[in-house]
Amino acid sequence: MSDIYTPPSADLTTETENNSGQGKVDQLPEGIKGWSWGAFLLSWIWAIGNRTWIGLIALLPYVGFIMAIVLGIKGRQWAWQNKRWDSVEHFQQVQKKWSFWGVLIVVGIFGLGIVAAIAIPALVSN
């Protein structure tokens, strides 16, 4: 007969535990680290949406661009540590949407600027 006070053995090596939202953690799951276009391009908005409050430093003049670069580099890790996610897949989906919208907005603004730079002088000269 086995000892009823001994906990059952568990093999935790095959699946990583969801340690999101627990602050600084020892080990990040695979796929968390990497560059974040959403954090870089939408810095302070991304920071609010991902509960990464240090990203609000991006609102300060002169320091904002440096903070945007830091968010691009470390943002995914900080988002994993500061907000509770359902799974790594859920985290990846949300960060992919942030990146999509960040690139779309920036490309849209640049595109609009190029169209305006061509159209305005053409309209004024006539």
Side-chain angles (χ1 to χ4, degrees):
M1 190 163 136
S2 66
D3 184 9
I4 60 171
Y5 298 106
T6 304
S9 61
D11 183 20
L12 299 176
T13 59
T14 57
E15 189 175 319
T16 58
E17 159 186 351
N18 184 352
N19 57 5
S20 65
Q22 297 178 3
K24 219 167 198 175
V25 294
D26 293 331
Q27 230 177 11
L28 292 170
E30 286 294 318
I32 299 299
K33 292 182 179 180
W35 180 262
S36 175
W37 283 108
F40 174 68
L41 297 171
L42 300 173
S43 54
W44 66 272
I45 300 169
W46 179 92
I48 292 171
N50 287 283
R51 295 185 185 148
T52 306
W53 307 119
I54 194 166
L56 294 177
I57 293 174
L59 290 170
L60 297 175
Y62 306 112
V63 182
F65 184 69
I66 294 168
M67 190 61 197
I69 294 171
V70 171
L71 282 173
I73 296 168
K74 298 286 284 181
R76 290 174 57 90
Q77 296 168 347
W78 290 344
W80 179 262
Q81 294 169 353
N82 295 330
K83 187 175 180 181
R84 183 72 180 159
W85 302 94
D86 296 336
S87 64
V88 175
E89 292 78 21
H90 175 240
F91 175 79
Q92 297 285 19
Q93 289 173 347
V94 171
Q95 295 307 313
K96 188 181 258 188
K97 288 179 186 175
W98 276 107
S99 294
F100 172 78
W101 284 106
V103 170
L104 185 72
I105 289 170
V106 169
V107 169
I109 290 171
F110 279 131
L112 206 61
I114 290 170
V115 169
I118 294 169
I120 291 173
L123 292 173
V124 172
S125 67
N126 288 334

